[in-house]
């Protein structure tokens, strides 16, 4: 497990901004950013509501975009930043794309604490580290970080 650096925090804030953008267009407030070793930035947004697709999570959408735009080698040298810890489905997508590092802001437990008391929206209590630990490739996970900023994106959304 690596430490969250100042550069990581910069990209986490970009993922939080992407979550705000998703919320602004009527989707669930989740965003993600992929940064290649060369510094290219690709953003992903939740599209569950606008696309009517329950699998339209920010990270899975981002993995699909990045896989089309980057080589496999570029993916294997990238870092994915997420406004909220990737769910089991998204962790699987990240793993299969062979993205070696994930940094997240709001923890899964933090999200559950926000959503569960006020919504019937399903949550899945399976931390990304547990999903990644079941694979043969190592995925370095850093986070949570900037949890207060990341949680603020959800204020009033789920109730």
């Amino acid at each position: 497990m690596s430490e969250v650096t100042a550069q990581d925090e910069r990209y986490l804030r970009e993922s939080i901004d992407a979550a705000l953008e998703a919320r602004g267009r009527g989707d669930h407030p989740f965003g993600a950013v992929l940064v290649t070793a060369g510094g290219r930035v690709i953003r992903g947004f939740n599209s569950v509501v606008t696309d009517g697709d329950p699998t339209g999570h920010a990270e899975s959408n981002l993995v699909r975009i990045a896989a089309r735009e980057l080589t496999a080698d570029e993916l294997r040298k990238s870092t994915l930043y997420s406004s909220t810890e990737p769910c089991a489905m998204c962790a699987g997508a990240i793993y299969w794309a062979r993205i070696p590092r994930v940094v997240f802001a709001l923890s899964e437990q933090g999200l559950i604490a926000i959503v569960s008391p006020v919504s019937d929206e399903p949550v899945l209590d399976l931390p990304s580290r547990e999903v990644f630990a079941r694979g043969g490739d190592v995925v370095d996970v850093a986070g949570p970080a900037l949890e207060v900023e990341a949680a603020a994106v959800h204020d009033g959304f789920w109730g």
Side-chain angles (χ1 to χ4, degrees):
M1 180 167 72
S2 63
E3 296 293 318
V4 176
T5 67
Q7 179 173 322
D8 290 334
E9 288 184 354
R10 174 183 157 218
Y11 290 119
L12 280 177
R13 286 189 173 98
E14 283 196 42
S15 73
I16 294 167
D17 288 345
L20 280 169
E21 190 173 329
R23 180 179 177 160
R25 43 173 226 236
D27 281 303
H28 297 169
F30 301 99
V33 173
L34 184 102
V35 181
T36 68
R40 182 173 175 194
V41 177
I42 302 171
R43 291 170 59 124
F45 307 90
N46 183 285
S47 62
V48 167
V49 175
T50 55
D51 286 348
D53 178 359
T55 68
H57 293 195
E59 300 92 341
S60 60
N61 286 339
L62 178 58
V63 166
R64 281 190 288 275
I65 294 165
R68 284 192 301 266
E69 295 184 11
L70 302 174
T71 66
D73 189 55
E74 287 174 307
L75 281 172
R76 289 183 180 133
K77 296 176 183 171
S78 297
T79 298
L80 189 143
Y81 297 90
S82 183
S83 64
T84 304
E85 182 173 1
C87 72
M89 175 186 70
C90 292
I94 293 164
Y95 179 81
W96 293 120
R98 304 192 78 180
I99 297 167
R101 185 164 185 258
V102 174
V103 183
F104 65 86
L106 182 63
S107 69
E108 185 172 294
Q109 286 300 311
L111 178 66
I112 290 169
I114 291 168
V115 174
S116 291
V118 296
S119 173
D120 65 353
E121 188 71 28
V123 292
L124 188 58
D125 188 2
L126 181 56
S128 61
R129 283 180 175 92
E130 289 184 33
V131 176
F132 294 133
R134 301 295 180 147
D137 287 351
V138 174
V139 178
D140 180 39
V141 180
L146 306 178
E147 283 198 280
V148 172
E149 291 176 44
V153 177
H154 297 272
D155 284 349
F157 182 82
W158 301 102

